[in-house]
Amino acid sequence: MTKNLQIDVDERGYYGRFGGAYIPEMLHPNIEQLKNTYREMTADPDFKKEFDALLKDYVGRPSPLYFAKRLSEHYGTNIYLKREDLNHTGAHKINNTIGQILVAQRLGKKRIIAETGAGQHGVATATVCALVGLQCIVYMGEVDIARQAPNVARMRMLGAEVRPALSGSKTLKDATNEAIRDWINNPEDTHYIIGSVVGPHPYPDMVARFQSVISEEMKWQLQEKLGRDYPDAIVACVGGGSNAAGAFYHYLNDERVRLVAVEAAGLGVDSGESAATSVLGTEGIIHGSRTLLMQTEDGQVIEPYSISAGLDYPGIGPLHAFLIDSKRAEAISVTDEDALAAALFTARTEGIIPALETAHAFSALDQMEYGPDDVIVVCLSGRGDKDLAAFTTYLNGLAG
Ligand SMILES: *Cc1c(COP(=O)(O)O)cnc(C)c1O
């Protein structure tokens, strides 16, 4: 028997004490409108039909659940990979942007803004804007623009305008601040497509629902392959937490399933150059929600660091803050160096080059314990093409 957990967002947008909507007055109408309409709108049969059809024919879902034979032999257990890297645009992000562009259309919005770290969310947003013919502006930290050049080129090719964020560490947090500023100035005609399970309610819940297709598919794929619809553990990397939220979603209340959230330790959790929010974070408010974030004693956000632009964020979504605080999920942190080694190992063991973000999840397998009969699903959140410059530097370092 499984205990009857009831992990879900409440009406005010809280998971326990985490979540809510802490927003400037100017954004109240937008957030209220979203909050009051998103559940009904996305449950509407016409919406679902359009969403499902696009996921199938445009994104290429269902994404395969692949038994990784050589990785399994290496670790002495059974490892399955949920192949979000095979989605159109190369990561899980497109599941959410497809959902949100349909929301924007139904709200009559004409202009789309987004923030992006690694550029995957920017590309996914630029893609759906091109798909439906809406204007697209993507805010991106100047540092990330430099380290993710291929994705910047993709966004521009797709017709999006990429605007650099020049403040702070010039990474994801700063891009998010710029996007919020834009929305405050353009509340009427603009929809803000947030790229993860962060931000004010209803974003964390709305994004988790769009991403929940990942675990919805896992259930029937495991049933088909193993005759049982649940694994023993699910491992996913966490930046804001959207691929993890999607991979965990249908198992949140099923305690047979271990939920493992993998964060970026950067140069080491205690190095001062890290993004391991669940270890270093304390309760506070960032980007519209109460959650765990890296901050000084007087509440200044501490600049995060990770080699991986998609994990380089000082907070985590409120669902994950709750899962970790309540011990429903375990958190593991992985350094840059270990993530690079895991990317190389995965590439040479399975013929799959994972994104640097995802490589953190693979590296966590080294820190976990499991038995020979266990079934472990790793959410392979994205492909590594965008990270080839970092991989090349790493390979050159190994050679020299
Ligand atoms: C953006 C990104 C992440 C981190 O974002 P989450 O919202 O935590 O999923 C992880 N993996 C890839 C490939 C990404 O592009």
Side-chain angles (χ1 to χ4, degrees):
M1 272 297 284
T2 57
K3 261 200 277 173
N4 233 352
L5 298 174
Q6 284 300 334
I7 299 172
D8 199 0
V9 75
D10 71 17
E11 264 163 42
R12 291 160 52 240
Y14 284 88
Y15 305 87
R17 34 180 223 286
F18 301 107
Y22 299 82
I23 48 165
E25 196 64 32
M26 292 287 290
L27 289 179
H28 269 280
N30 291 43
I31 293 294
E32 280 295 307
Q33 183 188 36
L34 259 187
K35 193 184 90 184
N36 294 334
T37 53
Y38 83 104
R39 285 213 185 187
E40 213 176 314
M41 187 194 292
T42 55
D44 179 71
D46 286 339
F47 185 102
K48 282 176 94 93
K49 206 168 138 197
E50 211 179 335
F51 182 58
D52 291 347
L54 284 170
L55 287 187
K56 178 167 181 282
D57 297 327
Y58 189 70
V59 175
R61 302 201 73 93
S63 70
L65 183 71
Y66 164 70
F67 177 62
K69 184 159 173 286
R70 297 188 67 216
L71 270 184
S72 296
E73 280 167 12
H74 174 81
Y75 284 105
T77 190
N78 303 287
I79 296 172
Y80 288 81
L81 309 180
K82 184 58 174 154
R83 298 291 307 273
E84 296 301 300
D85 61 317
L86 295 178
N87 293 340
H88 179 44
T89 72
H92 65 291
K93 298 267 168 45
I94 190 91
N95 305 325
N96 168 44
T97 59
I98 294 269
Q100 284 203 52
I101 203 74
L102 298 181
V103 168
Q105 282 186 309
R106 278 161 179 75
L107 294 176
K109 303 290 183 177
K110 298 286 173 258
R111 180 175 176 274
I112 300 296
I113 56 172
E115 85 296 336
T116 197
Q120 290 298 102
H121 176 57
V123 169
T125 302
T127 299
V128 296
C129 287
L131 178 69
V132 303
L134 287 182
Q135 185 193 357
C136 180
I137 293 152
V138 179
Y139 291 93
M140 188 170 187
E142 199 180 36
V143 166
D144 292 336
I145 289 179
R147 62 180 167 177
Q148 304 287 337
N151 274 343
V152 175
R154 257 177 225 127
M155 285 182 263
R156 294 180 56 205
M157 183 77 189
L158 290 160
E161 181 192 339
V162 181
R163 290 194 188 160
L166 305 171
S167 62
S169 56
K170 304 181 176 64
T171 61
L172 181 54
K173 157 181 78 67
D174 313 290
T176 306
N177 288 335
E178 290 299 325
I180 292 172
R181 207 162 295 149
D182 181 314
W183 208 21
I184 290 170
N185 290 327
N186 302 282
E188 295 275 310
D189 64 339
T190 299
H191 176 66
Y192 177 15
I193 300 191
I194 295 184
S196 190
V197 285
V198 299
H201 178 62
Y203 279 100
D205 184 48
M206 181 169 69
V207 176
R209 284 162 181 260
F210 289 142
Q211 292 292 0
S212 71
V213 64
I214 299 173
S215 50
E216 190 182 312
E217 290 172 4
M218 262 161 58
K219 282 191 102 159
W220 63 257
Q221 288 171 321
L222 285 166
Q223 183 67 40
E224 218 172 79
K225 283 177 202 297
L226 303 170
R228 62 177 239 207
D229 69 357
Y230 67 96
D232 297 290
I234 303 170
V235 186
C237 64
V238 172
S242 69
N243 85 90
F248 295 169
Y249 196 87
H250 290 283
Y251 300 106
L252 286 173
N253 293 310
D254 185 344
E255 277 199 303
R256 294 173 300 186
V257 184
R258 284 169 66 190
L259 307 177
V260 181
V262 186
E263 295 183 311
L267 301 185
V269 171
D270 300 318
S271 67
E273 299 288 326
S274 178
T277 313
S278 74
V279 189
L280 301 171
T282 52
E283 238 176 281
I285 291 164
I286 184 168
H287 298 141
S289 72
R290 171 170 289 277
T291 188
L292 293 175
L293 72 137
M294 291 165 40
Q295 56 185 338
T296 61
E297 268 172 28
D298 49 355
Q300 294 297 312
V301 174
I302 295 172
E303 299 296 346
Y305 165 78
S306 164
I307 190 175
S308 151
L311 304 184
D312 199 349
Y313 184 70
I316 44 172
L319 168 63
H320 296 289
F322 175 77
L323 292 177
I324 289 165
D325 185 64
S326 65
K327 307 239 175 351
R328 174 66 188 98
E330 314 156 39
I332 290 181
S333 30
V334 168
T335 62
D336 288 0
E337 209 51 35
D338 287 345
L340 285 163
L344 189 66
F345 187 69
T346 305
R348 292 180 180 186
T349 309
E350 292 292 345
I352 296 169
I353 302 174
L356 259 174
E357 291 81 8
T358 318
H360 288 72
F362 279 108
S363 179
L365 293 168
D366 288 327
Q367 298 185 41
M368 289 172 60
E369 281 174 24
Y370 29 69
D373 296 326
D374 282 357
V375 172
I376 318 280
V377 176
V378 178
C379 186
L380 213 176
S381 56
R383 65 177 186 228
D385 306 47
K386 69 184 174 56
D387 298 311
L388 284 175
F391 295 147
T392 302
T393 306
Y394 179 65
L395 285 170
N396 290 343
L398 292 181

